[in-house]
Amino acid sequence: MKTKLLLILFFLIGIISLTAQDNCSKFYPMTEGVALEYTNYNKKGKVEGVSSFKVTETNTSGNTTNATMAINLKDEKGKDIYNTDYKLSCTGNMVTLDYESLLPSNMLEQYGEMDLTITGNDIEIPNDLSVGQNLNDANVSMKIDMSGISMNMTVDMVNRKVEKKESVTTPSGTYDCYVLYSENQSKMMMVNQVYPSRVWLAEGIGMVKQETYKKNGDLMASTMLTAYSK
C-alpha cells in the first residue's frame, strides 16, 4: 500500500511540472476542451501506464484565468488507479496550483487517517525561451503523517537550462520543441538521489516528451504525448 502511495506522489510531482508556467497561453493552453494523453514507458520501452489530462472548465475575471483540469491515470493493463480534478489559476506572470485538490478524497479515505501537506514554488518557464538560457530552480515538498508514521519527501529541480531546439515526432504529430534540462534532487527517508531529466516543450501544446535518467546517464523512464485534441 505504501509503495502505491509513493508512486502516486511521484506522479503528482509530474503533474506540477506539466502545468506550472508563467503565462497561461504561451506553452500550456488553458482552453476548455483541450485534451492530452501521455503514455509512460520503462527503460526498455514497455508501456507502464497512460495518463490523460482535460481542461473541463475555464473562466476569466479581470486579469486572472481559472481552470479545472481532470486527470485520469491507468496502469499498463488499462485499469484506473487515479482520478481527480484539480484547480489552477494564472494572474499576470504567475500560475498558482491548488495543491490540496491534487489528491482525491477517495484516496484519502483508502489510506485512513492521513494528513498530507504539499508546498513548493512554481516551475517558471518564460515566454521567450532561447538556447543556452538558464532557468530558475524550483522545489516541491511533501509531508505525510499516516498511522503515527511521518514521512517527508523533497524534490529540488536545479541546473535548469534550455539546451537546444529540435523537431519531435510522436503518434499525435510532429512538433518544434525547446529541450529543457534539469537535475532533480530527491530526498526521502534519509535517502538522497539525483535524477537528471529532459523535457521537450512545444508552444501551445506544453510537454511533448520527457526522459528521466540515472545519475550515470542511463535512461530510467520516458513519457510521450500520444494524443492531442482541442
Side-chain angles (χ1 to χ4, degrees):
M1 181 178 294
K2 291 181 181 178
T3 300
K4 181 179 178 182
L5 176 59
L6 290 178
L7 290 174
I8 292 175
L9 294 180
F10 277 117
F11 174 64
L12 296 183
I13 292 177
I15 292 171
I16 293 170
S17 67
L18 283 175
T19 58
Q21 74 287 336
D22 72 350
N23 183 278
C24 300
S25 61
K26 184 69 172 185
F27 286 99
Y28 293 87
M30 291 176 66
T31 305
E32 190 170 329
V34 169
L36 305 99
E37 177 191 271
Y38 294 92
T39 301
N40 307 311
Y41 306 90
N42 64 16
K43 63 182 181 180
K44 295 182 178 180
K46 182 180 179 181
V47 174
E48 290 199 325
V50 175
S51 51
S52 301
F53 302 80
K54 185 174 183 179
V55 182
T56 57
E57 182 180 357
T58 63
N59 63 78
T60 300
S61 177
N63 66 342
T64 299
T65 298
N66 299 293
T68 300
M69 180 82 76
I71 306 169
N72 171 258
L73 177 64
K74 299 181 184 296
D75 64 16
E76 70 279 5
K77 297 180 180 179
K79 180 181 178 181
D80 286 344
I81 59 175
Y82 182 87
N83 288 282
T84 194
D85 293 329
Y86 76 101
K87 311 289 186 181
L88 64 156
S89 63
C90 178
T91 302
N93 65 349
M94 180 64 68
V95 168
T96 302
L97 302 173
D98 179 5
Y99 290 112
E100 291 184 1
S101 68
L102 286 171
L103 203 64
S105 58
N106 60 352
M107 179 180 160
L108 293 174
E109 294 171 358
Q110 177 183 356
Y111 290 101
E113 295 294 328
M114 182 177 72
D115 182 24
L116 172 65
T117 303
I118 306 176
T119 58
N121 55 17
D122 292 322
I123 301 171
E124 297 180 357
I125 300 176
N127 269 338
D128 299 319
L129 293 178
S130 60
V131 176
Q133 180 179 4
N134 292 318
L135 303 175
N136 291 336
D137 293 345
N139 168 276
V140 177
S141 298
M142 298 181 185
K143 181 179 180 181
I144 306 166
D145 292 314
M146 180 173 61
S147 301
I149 300 175
S150 294
M151 181 170 58
N152 295 285
M153 179 171 67
T154 300
V155 177
D156 294 305
M157 300 177 186
V158 301
N159 297 327
R160 299 178 64 231
K161 61 184 178 181
V162 183
E163 280 192 325
K164 57 185 176 179
K165 290 187 69 175
E166 68 178 18
S167 178
V168 175
T169 297
T170 78
S172 64
T174 299
Y175 307 93
D176 293 324
C177 298
Y178 288 95
V179 183
L180 276 56
Y181 172 85
S182 67
E183 294 175 358
N184 304 313
Q185 301 174 348
S186 173
K187 301 176 184 178
M188 182 174 64
M189 305 292 288
M190 304 300 293
V191 177
N192 297 336
Q193 298 284 347
V194 177
Y195 301 105
S197 70
R198 286 181 174 87
V199 174
W200 283 254
L201 289 178
E203 291 187 18
I205 303 294
M207 192 184 81
V208 171
K209 180 181 174 182
Q210 182 182 41
E211 291 183 346
T212 303
Y213 314 94
K214 295 181 180 178
K215 191 175 181 179
N216 64 4
D218 290 345
L219 182 68
M220 288 181 57
S222 63
T223 299
M224 185 175 292
L225 179 66
T226 46
Y228 170 78
S229 64
K230 60 180 180 179

